Amino acid sequence: MRNYRRLWAVLAVSVVAVLCEFALHQPLWAQGIITILGSLIALLMFIDMVKTLASGSFGVDLLAITAVVATLAVGEYWASMIVLLMLTGGDALEDFAAKKANADLKSLLDNTPTTAHRQVGDHLQDVDVDVVAVGDVIVVRPGELVPVDGIVADGDSLVSEASLTGEAKPVGKTTGDTLLSGTVNGDGALTVSVTHTAADSQYQSIIKLVKESEARPAHFVRMADRYAVPFTLLAYVIAGVAWALSGDPVRLAEVLVVASPCPLILAAPVALVSGMSRTSRAGIIVKSGTAIEKLAQAKTVAFDKTGTITQGVLAVADVTPAAGFTADTVLNLAASAEQQSGHILARSLVEKVGAKNLQPATDVSEATAAGVTATVAGQKVLAGKASFANAPQTVADTAVYVSVAGQYAGVITFSDRTRPEARRTIAALHDLGVADTMMISGDSQAVADEVAAEVGIDQVHAEQLPAGKIAVLDGLGKTERPVIMVGDGVNDAPSLAVADVGIAMGAHGATAASESADAVVLRDDLTKVASAVLISQDTMRIAREAVWIGIGICTGLMLIAAFGVIPAIIGAMFQEVVDTVTILYALRARTGRRSEVVG
């Protein structure tokens, strides 16, 4: 807002000065008004520059201050007026560009739920979302935002999760399903049992990430400040030589008015915010410009195994029937017996067989951590541990043993499947210039080696506890950095924090991992890691190009102005063109040059 106020003040004074000069024919009044305003703005800019220097950065406004003072000193007050318009207009345009580029990221904030319909007795009471407690029952009406996380207690509806995952296709929700805050209910009312308060809900955790991304400084902006040091010296040398050779101080002013540092001030932050907007649209929240820079330079990418390279869901791997039984029979009987169980293996069995293919089960009873007994097709079926099913222990893997009518029928084994997009992701990272990929897992060496070979990972560090994962990352040399660590669970949080860039697979609400990470993948898609690297590379390339384009144009204009070819007022107008070109080029980072990686 301050930049907009300064711009409006300069515009107002410009109008008054024009009236004095051309309507009232009082050029001295116009010069006096512009001199007073120019001196005031120069003073304010000088104060801002001192604060910048005190923070450890180079004050890139030094050239602009010198240009204003020089043009006022030699009587080129209209050139000074244009420089002031350029500076305040450039700052305001930067604010506008950043706001536009960040619109996708901030759209999360616009959808923050504020009220909830809490069930009190037999009626609903509208309450502030912050007073809703865990265990409360709320109703989400058709078309409304879901205010807090919960479990559907009653009702069926299609729910849009686009605000969280970016996926446009609605997801069906029914009794027992998880409902996340910030999603949009479809055409059916849902009764929801609250599992998290508003402050702890998924949507609020994402909003927290957005606010962090806005608050953190971008390292490359400081790099732009360092570009300004030699550029400033070059401008002073050219201006000083031009003055010395011509003997005319106006020549100094003519050079300095085309040496504005606005391209340096604008290019890097506009490109970085644009790149962060692009990652947001791709389903990735990157918290800082520093993370963008390091992602672009990454030499090593390390992955956790379970839930990252693998799906983190046990699926049926093999069925070994006993004599007299077929694999399909064993699988169907086990799934039918366990269809009412909430155990993860039971859900995998039902998914494998398909709900429509299950047989009715009666007299169902479940022994915690042991197994299920049920009557299926008139036969007593036991499914669970070997000891529970009175079966021989034949495999060491995760398994369900099945007996039918007291007779051992077979064993079903389970495994954690690799993500179908994992191999594509590793290949894409190599194509993007990542020299080494590794997997750091707490699993056994044999299992880790098998998974790594399946997806094409270069190195394997197995049987690692959280402290061991940190040691592996700390042991990497300078040539292997920056290093990215990708994980999804609480045990990954420490290693995500110590990596140069930590990326959390946060689609399923891994809060601890997400909070310690520098970037969070909102969709359950590993290729987003490669997309984050690709977008960051595009962003940094465009940022550097925008900076150098601005420097190149300004240097050319300074050399021309040194020969007295460009009057001060025309040179000041040229700077507006340079600023516009720089900003428009930096905004190209919103779309980039290459398409994101797909699985």
Side-chain angles (χ1 to χ4, degrees):
M1 290 299 295
R2 183 182 65 176
N3 290 331
Y4 284 109
R5 286 196 295 268
R6 285 185 181 180
L7 173 60
W8 283 113
V10 172
L11 286 172
V13 170
S14 300
V15 171
V16 173
V18 168
L19 291 175
C20 290
E21 176 91 15
F22 300 105
L24 302 178
H25 305 291
Q26 296 291 338
L28 291 179
W29 292 6
Q31 184 174 2
I33 291 171
I34 294 174
T35 299
I36 294 172
L37 175 69
S39 301
L40 178 60
I41 295 292
L43 177 62
L44 293 174
M45 291 173 62
F46 180 78
I47 294 172
D48 290 341
M49 187 190 70
V50 171
K51 292 179 180 178
T52 302
L53 290 170
S55 69
S57 300
F58 181 75
V60 294
D61 286 334
L62 181 59
L63 269 177
I65 296 171
T66 308
V68 171
V69 173
T71 48
L72 289 175
V74 299
E76 294 283 353
Y77 54 94
W78 284 114
S80 179
M81 189 76 249
I82 294 174
V83 171
L84 290 172
L85 281 170
M86 172 198 66
L87 292 173
T88 55
D91 289 341
L93 186 58
E94 177 189 4
D95 288 348
F96 173 77
K99 182 178 180 180
K100 180 176 177 59
N102 211 24
D104 297 287
L105 202 60
K106 289 186 175 180
S107 64
L108 288 169
L109 297 172
D110 297 333
N111 289 327
T112 304
T114 57
T115 60
H117 311 302
R118 184 168 60 184
Q119 191 166 325
V120 180
D122 58 354
H123 69 280
L124 296 178
Q125 181 182 49
D126 288 348
V127 297
D128 190 281
V129 69
D130 292 328
V131 306
V132 176
V134 175
D136 284 352
V137 175
I138 64 172
V139 172
V140 183
R141 293 167 178 159
E144 290 186 337
L145 286 166
V146 178
V148 290
D149 294 354
I151 302 293
V152 177
D154 187 38
D156 298 278
S157 186
L158 291 174
V159 175
S160 172
E161 297 183 341
S163 60
L164 301 183
T165 68
E167 296 292 343
K169 184 178 180 180
V171 179
K173 297 291 183 180
T174 189
T175 303
D177 288 341
T178 300
L179 202 61
L180 298 178
S181 61
T183 57
V184 181
N185 189 20
D187 55 3
L190 295 174
T191 302
V192 181
S193 177
V194 177
T195 57
H196 294 87
T197 63
D200 297 328
S201 288
Q202 173 75 2
Y203 200 71
Q204 290 298 325
S205 69
I206 294 176
I207 288 176
K208 182 180 178 181
L209 296 179
V210 174
K211 291 180 178 178
E212 288 179 12
S213 72
E214 294 175 334
R216 296 193 181 194
H219 179 62
F220 193 70
V221 175
R222 294 192 293 272
M223 288 177 60
D225 287 342
R226 290 198 295 273
Y227 278 127
V229 175
F231 179 69
T232 300
L233 294 176
L234 176 65
Y236 285 153
V237 167
I238 295 175
V241 170
W243 183 7
L245 294 179
S246 66
D248 185 0
V250 174
R251 195 66 57 84
L252 173 75
E254 290 174 346
V255 172
L256 291 179
V257 293
V258 297
S260 168
C262 279
L264 302 177
I265 299 171
L266 302 179
V270 170
L272 284 171
V273 174
S274 298
M276 292 166 71
S277 170
R278 185 181 172 194
T279 60
S280 175
R281 296 197 310 275
I284 312 153
I285 288 182
V286 179
K287 298 182 185 179
S288 69
T290 303
I292 289 280
E293 180 181 3
K294 291 180 178 178
L295 281 166
Q297 300 171 351
K299 298 294 188 296
T300 304
V301 181
F303 296 88
D304 177 46
K305 182 181 76 70
T306 304
T308 304
I309 294 295
T310 65
Q311 297 180 23
V313 177
L314 291 174
V316 173
D318 191 28
V319 182
T320 305
F325 294 89
T326 66
D328 287 342
T329 298
V330 172
L331 189 61
N332 185 277
L333 289 173
S336 298
E338 296 222 40
Q339 61 185 293
Q340 299 178 29
S341 173
H343 193 276
I344 184 172
L345 297 184
R347 294 199 297 271
S348 297
L349 285 170
V350 171
E351 181 183 353
K352 179 68 175 180
V353 173
K356 66 180 180 180
N357 297 320
L358 297 175
Q359 302 181 65
T362 58
D363 303 324
V364 179
S365 64
E366 183 169 2
T368 303
V372 172
T373 302
T375 299
V376 180
Q379 303 177 92
K380 184 178 181 181
V381 178
L382 279 70
K385 292 183 176 180
S387 57
F388 179 81
N390 299 315
Q393 181 86 37
T394 58
V395 295
D397 297 333
T398 302
V400 169
Y401 292 83
V402 183
S403 64
V404 180
Q407 181 182 357
Y408 172 59
V411 61
I412 305 167
T413 57
F414 299 79
S415 64
D416 188 0
R417 295 175 293 189
T418 59
R419 290 177 179 268
E421 75 275 14
R423 174 171 284 277
R424 172 76 179 98
T425 300
I426 303 303
L429 288 170
H430 284 139
D431 290 342
L432 290 168
V434 173
D436 194 19
T437 56
M438 63 175 62
M439 187 167 69
I440 311 176
S441 173
D443 214 332
S444 66
Q445 189 72 50
V447 172
D449 285 339
E450 181 180 351
V451 171
E454 183 179 344
V455 301
I457 284 178
D458 302 316
Q459 295 185 44
V460 178
H461 298 271
E463 302 175 12
Q464 299 291 329
L465 296 174
K469 293 182 178 182
I470 293 175
V472 170
L473 295 173
D474 285 341
L476 295 175
K478 289 184 178 180
T479 59
E480 299 171 288
R481 291 182 177 275
V483 57
I484 299 170
M485 178 67 196
V486 186
D488 78 317
V490 174
N491 65 320
D492 297 319
S495 54
L496 294 178
V498 301
D500 294 309
V501 180
I503 299 181
M505 299 293 293
H508 297 303
T511 305
S514 298
E515 289 181 353
S516 63
D518 300 289
V520 180
V521 175
L522 298 180
R523 304 178 191 175
D524 195 21
D525 182 356
L526 194 63
T527 61
K528 296 302 176 185
V529 174
S531 290
V533 173
L534 182 148
I535 293 172
S536 298
Q537 289 178 351
D538 274 2
T539 299
M540 295 308 298
R541 186 178 295 111
I542 290 170
R544 291 190 182 93
E545 289 172 353
V547 167
W548 283 111
I549 286 172
I551 289 176
I553 296 175
C554 285
T555 302
L557 290 173
M558 284 190 291
L559 292 173
I560 296 172
F563 292 95
V565 178
I566 306 176
I569 190 169
I570 301 300
M573 292 179 179
F574 277 158
Q575 260 309 315
E576 294 286 3
V577 177
V578 177
D579 294 344
T580 302
V581 169
T582 303
I583 291 172
L584 291 177
Y585 195 93
L587 280 172
R588 294 174 68 242
R590 290 195 80 231
T591 54
R593 295 170 173 168
R594 296 175 290 178
S595 300
E596 286 87 40
V597 180
V598 294

